[in-house]
Amino acid sequence: MLLNVRDLVIDYKTPRGNVRAVDGVSFDVPAGAVVGVVGESGCGKTTAVRGITRVMPGAARFAGGAIEFEGRDIVTMSEREMRKLMWREIAYVPQSAMNALDPVWRVGKQIEEVLRDRGGMGKRDARARAAELFSMVGLDAQRLTDYPHQFSGGMRQRASIALALALSPKLVIADEPVTALDVVIQRQVLDTFAELQAALNLSVILVTHDISVVAYVCDYVVVMYAGRVAEAGPVAEVLANPAHPYTMGLYNAFPELSGDDRELSPIEGSPPDLLDPPAGCRFRPRCPFAQERCAQEPPDVAVGDGHRALCHRADEAAALRDVAKKVDTWTGVSAA
Amino acid sequence: MTADAPLIEVDSVSRSFDVSRSAADILRGRRPQIHAVTDVDFTLRRGETLGIVGESGCGKTTLGRMLIKLIPPTSGTVRFQGADIGEMDRQAELAFRRRAQLVFQNPFDALNPHFTILRSLQEPLRNARVPAAEHEERIAEALRMVHLAAPEHFLMSFPHQLSGGQLQRVVLARALVLRPDFIVADEPVSMLDVSVRAGILNVLREVRDRLGLAAVYISHDLSLVRYVCARTITMYLGTVVEDGPTRDLIESPLHPYTRALVQAVPVPDVNQSHDPLPIKGGLPDARNPPSGCRFRDRCPLAEARCAAEVPRLREVSPGRRVACHVVA
């Protein structure tokens, strides 16, 4: 296993109190696998993966758990060790490619900077490597002298992938790499990404709110809700047999291209305020299957090979799935 | 006016924008332009919903803005109930502005952060000189339409206190509060989470079915347009390349670009096709579009003729138009 995240807890200090944005999150990243972390805005997915890089906003701090990368704990690692790890072993592609690239520097210079400063390369080698990286991600090496604003959204995303791959890391963490792109460009960037992943045997953590992106490129999926892992497992298994009502809801809310002209079933309400989360299951106020016992902490139930769900009713999942397919199931659940 | 007369008539509408000139452009006296929209025409009746799909930069947003007179066309006309919206006197223009509304893309930016939700909803009524006595009823009606329950809990709130889904409902309610005949919605759900997006799409369907207004929905994603629009046009680099019933466009797309758009739509299925899209590269430089068919340099079917001759939008079956030398 390349990376194990174990019972990770990350808190934000806010003027109104402590917000536990990541609350006991565990998942594994096998070498050469693509793991999707999926959930709505505010579910803690970005905070959790930024914990792996230790580059977190000032108000955030680790409050428990471990992140083991090849057996070494990132949470307790010294700054010096951490500096050796970043870029060379673990690279991060931030949410907006505009944030990854400095607007006042030529794109090629920014890649060379990483190669020379972090990779210890000479000027000439860095320049050659930058050109090589550009062609790997499908960009014309002549565009290395462009500024980021001269690039289209898709090109910027390719450039930030090139930047992440600069020092041949083992693990790439990409936060919403295709979210701002339209469907054609999204597909082309994902195809390039998948080709590189296979060719370089990269391990990837892909953060997204979109289960179709997970279905397209990921081997495993971690579904997060309100700071916790609601469900995790192999993608094919989780999408075919979702065991957590939240995953069922996400799937049913997804618009289809073909099939009947039916109403979609939204999940009513919003995720809970993490300053004051509900007791027991966090999804309870929006869940059509909630029972009295759901006010107690839900168990983490193994429902299949490597497939687990945080739900009191996980053993009834097959029956619940059928009911979840009906639009009426999801109406009038939440008061919000 | 009969019920069958078109509400909106778009007649060879084009719009170009000046772009910044390089030193060489100035020396040679060139004024480079981007042709954002070229020769678009269509009509829209009351009760009809039209989808406009295409990539960023295809001109769909510019077209939407011309439809509600936020920017004037460079040439061509947009008529509303037979009257050219570019030639309206002040009185007629005010009336048009009440009857045609825009739903903004990003609900987080669309509302004034210093206004309460109530004030944001009152503002259009005040501007349209709707008597204050009617405000409460109009606002309640619009909020019911968008399924915002328990308004007393948030009318005095500020935008940052609401969730994205609630905000988008408020933005939609603000467009409906004047009881418009025509709305243009530019990517109304693209900023929202999937679980919330479904609710907004359902509201848009209800608005369509219950209010009988004419509506244009702009999106890059055919799977979203499909839920609301009976008819869709595909745009590429400012031109309409296909026009027809949405279902036909999805099930049997004719234009190679529409085919690529259909194939690119993401689906939550691990067994989906990973075949490369039948389209190459990205949008070409809009200042120097390819000669002939603008899509030809990305097209898998392009022939010599496609470089020489601009394909016209031709009717291939009733209600179905396509601009392609090869497939039509």
Side-chain angles (χ1 to χ4, degrees), chain B residues 67-238:
Chain B
L67 296 178
I68 48 164
K69 207 182 170 179
L70 281 184
I71 46 174
T74 318
S75 64
T77 55
V78 176
R79 282 191 291 275
F80 182 79
Q81 287 192 332
D84 182 347
I85 63 171
E87 303 288 327
M88 285 174 166
D89 61 26
R90 175 120 186 98
Q91 203 66 35
E93 171 157 348
L94 282 175
F96 173 71
R97 296 231 178 266
R98 282 197 289 273
R99 300 177 59 192
Q101 294 288 321
L102 178 68
V103 179
F104 287 91
Q105 178 170 158
N106 184 345
F108 301 95
D109 289 347
L111 298 169
N112 187 327
H114 302 295
F115 284 6
T116 59
I117 300 302
L118 178 64
R119 173 130 187 238
S120 282
L121 291 167
Q122 281 172 336
E123 206 68 6
L125 294 166
R126 283 190 201 159
N127 291 342
R129 314 245 156 78
V130 174
E134 285 181 36
H135 289 189
E136 199 179 316
E137 189 204 326
R138 293 275 200 115
I139 289 173
E141 169 192 299
L143 291 175
R144 269 198 304 276
M145 196 65 234
V146 300
H147 294 284
L148 266 177
E152 63 280 7
H153 290 311
F154 61 81
L155 277 177
M156 298 319 289
S157 306
F158 290 91
H160 73 270
Q161 296 169 301
L162 269 62
S163 70
Q166 288 173 318
L167 281 179
Q168 190 56 283
R169 284 168 201 256
V170 171
V171 170
L172 192 59
R174 188 178 58 173
L176 297 176
V177 82
L178 288 172
R179 298 179 184 147
D181 298 303
F182 176 45
I183 59 173
V184 174
D186 191 352
E187 299 273 14
V189 295
S190 66
M191 300 291 292
L192 304 173
D193 279 311
V194 173
S195 67
V196 175
R197 206 161 69 175
I200 303 287
L201 288 172
N202 287 343
V203 168
L204 292 172
R205 282 165 67 104
E206 260 188 69
V207 167
R208 173 194 73 186
D209 295 342
R210 284 176 49 188
L211 301 185
L213 37 68
V216 168
Y217 294 109
I218 297 169
S219 179
H220 66 273
D221 189 340
L222 266 166
S223 67
L224 303 179
V225 163
R226 166 184 121 88
Y227 275 90
V228 193
C229 304
R231 180 179 155 211
T232 295
I233 64 180
T234 310
M235 285 185 74
Y236 186 78
L237 267 191

Side-chain angles (χ1 to χ4, degrees), chain B residues 226-307:
Chain B
R226 166 184 121 88
Y227 275 90
V228 193
C229 304
R231 180 179 155 211
T232 295
I233 64 180
T234 310
M235 285 185 74
Y236 186 78
L237 267 191
T239 59
V240 174
V241 295
E242 188 160 359
D243 171 11
T246 309
R247 179 177 282 259
D248 295 356
L249 246 68
I250 289 171
E251 285 173 4
S252 55
L254 292 173
H255 196 282
Y257 180 62
T258 314
R259 283 186 209 170
L261 277 184
V262 171
Q263 205 182 314
V265 166
V267 287
D269 177 0
V270 286
N271 298 316
Q272 62 192 295
S273 156
H274 281 61
D275 295 344
L277 293 183
I279 182 173
K280 293 169 271 181
L283 278 182
D285 184 352
R287 282 168 295 190
N288 301 301
S291 65
C293 174
R294 292 182 170 194
F295 183 59
R296 72 175 159 86
D297 61 337
R298 298 174 75 188
C299 181
L301 309 175
E303 300 169 352
R305 187 179 165 199
C306 304

Side-chain angles (χ1 to χ4, degrees), chain A residues 39-42 45 176 179-188 191 194 209-218 235-237 239 246 249-271 286 327 335-336, chain B residues 54-57 60 149 163 166 169 190-202 205-206 208 220-224 226-227 247 250-251 257 260-277 279-283 298:
Chain A
E40 292 172 79
S41 349
K45 57 190 190 296
E176 300 276 11
T179 298
L181 307 175
D182 50 50
V183 289
V184 172
I185 309 293
Q186 165 172 323
R187 175 69 175 270
Q188 289 169 335
D191 284 342
H209 69 279
D210 190 339
I211 49 169
S212 68
V213 169
V214 170
Y216 193 67
V217 293
C218 296
V235 172
E237 165 67 16
L239 290 185
Y246 177 62
L250 268 189
Y251 191 84
N252 291 325
F254 204 89
E256 293 172 297
L257 190 54
S258 51
D260 291 341
D261 184 27
R262 60 170 175 98
E263 269 208 9
L264 292 166
S265 23
I267 306 173
E268 291 179 3
S270 337
R286 302 171 80 188
V327 176
Chain B
E55 284 167 274
S56 336
K60 57 191 194 294
S163 70
Q166 288 173 318
R169 284 168 201 256
S190 66
M191 300 291 292
L192 304 173
D193 279 311
V194 173
S195 67
V196 175
R197 206 161 69 175
I200 303 287
L201 288 172
N202 287 343
R205 282 165 67 104
E206 260 188 69
R208 173 194 73 186
H220 66 273
D221 189 340
L222 266 166
S223 67
L224 303 179
R226 166 184 121 88
Y227 275 90
R247 179 177 282 259
I250 289 171
E251 285 173 4
Y257 180 62
L261 277 184
V262 171
Q263 205 182 314
V265 166
V267 287
D269 177 0
V270 286
N271 298 316
Q272 62 192 295
S273 156
H274 281 61
D275 295 344
L277 293 183
I279 182 173
K280 293 169 271 181
L283 278 182
R298 298 174 75 188

